[in-house]
């Protein structure tokens, strides 16, 4: 959960502050392991085992989907980009080895989220399910029950 937050927090900040007209976005706040595991980075072998395993799990989950290039992934946080159908909300512990990621999909039951799946897998998720639509009250009850 913390690794996922460590990737999403600077990406969300970039969405609020970056000049998306530039050819590339700054990556100074992005964790090195996340930058290394993406396609084209040349540092895949230097990425920690959890990130490399997540890269393989993502490919299996997507039926052979290619790793995300870091810049392509960051550009999904452009506020004018329509292909990202979610907004980060929270993550809660749902059991000993289960985490729920919460996003706002603006009420849509189907939305593009492979970029989010990439972040979850490379942060260490073994399995990713969903998305499923839930009311905010479900998130609130789960958050309150885990402290």
């Amino acid at each position: 959960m913390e690794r996922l937050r460590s990737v999403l927090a600077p990406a969300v900040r970039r969405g609020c502050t970056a000049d998306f007209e530039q050819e590339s976005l700054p990556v100074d706040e992005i964790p090195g392991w996340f930058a290394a595991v993406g396609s084209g980075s040349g540092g895949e072998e230097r990425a920690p085992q959890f990130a490399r395993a997540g890269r393989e799990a993502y490919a299996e989950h997507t039926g052979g989907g290619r790793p995300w290039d870091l810049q392509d992934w960051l550009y999904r946080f452009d506020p004018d980009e329509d292909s990202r159908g979610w907004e980060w909300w929270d993550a809660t512990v749902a059991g000993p080895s289960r985490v729920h990621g919460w996003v706002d999909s603006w009420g849509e039951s189907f939305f593009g989220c492979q970029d989010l799946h990439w972040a979850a897998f490379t942060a260490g998720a073994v399995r990713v399910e969903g998305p499923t639509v839930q009311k905010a009250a479900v998130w609130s009850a789960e958050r309150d029950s885990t402290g």
Side-chain angles (χ1 to χ4, degrees), residues 86-140:
W86 57 272
E87 184 174 301
W88 177 246
W89 191 264
D90 195 8
T92 55
V93 176
S97 61
R98 189 176 182 101
V99 172
H100 286 159
W102 298 91
V103 298
D104 184 352
S105 66
W106 306 288
E108 296 295 325
S109 61
F110 180 80
F111 55 93
C113 58
Q114 291 305 321
D115 45 4
L116 182 58
H117 286 178
W118 170 252
F121 275 116
T122 60
V126 175
R127 191 174 83 214
V128 175
E129 297 174 4
T132 60
V133 176
Q134 301 287 334
K135 300 273 186 199
V138 176
W139 160 77
S140 182

Side-chain angles (χ1 to χ4, degrees), residues 1-5 7 33-34 50-51 54 118-125:
M1 190 164 76
E2 291 306 313
R3 288 191 295 245
L4 182 58
R5 287 179 195 262
V7 169
W33 60 264
F34 188 74
F50 71 83
W118 170 252
F121 275 116
T122 60

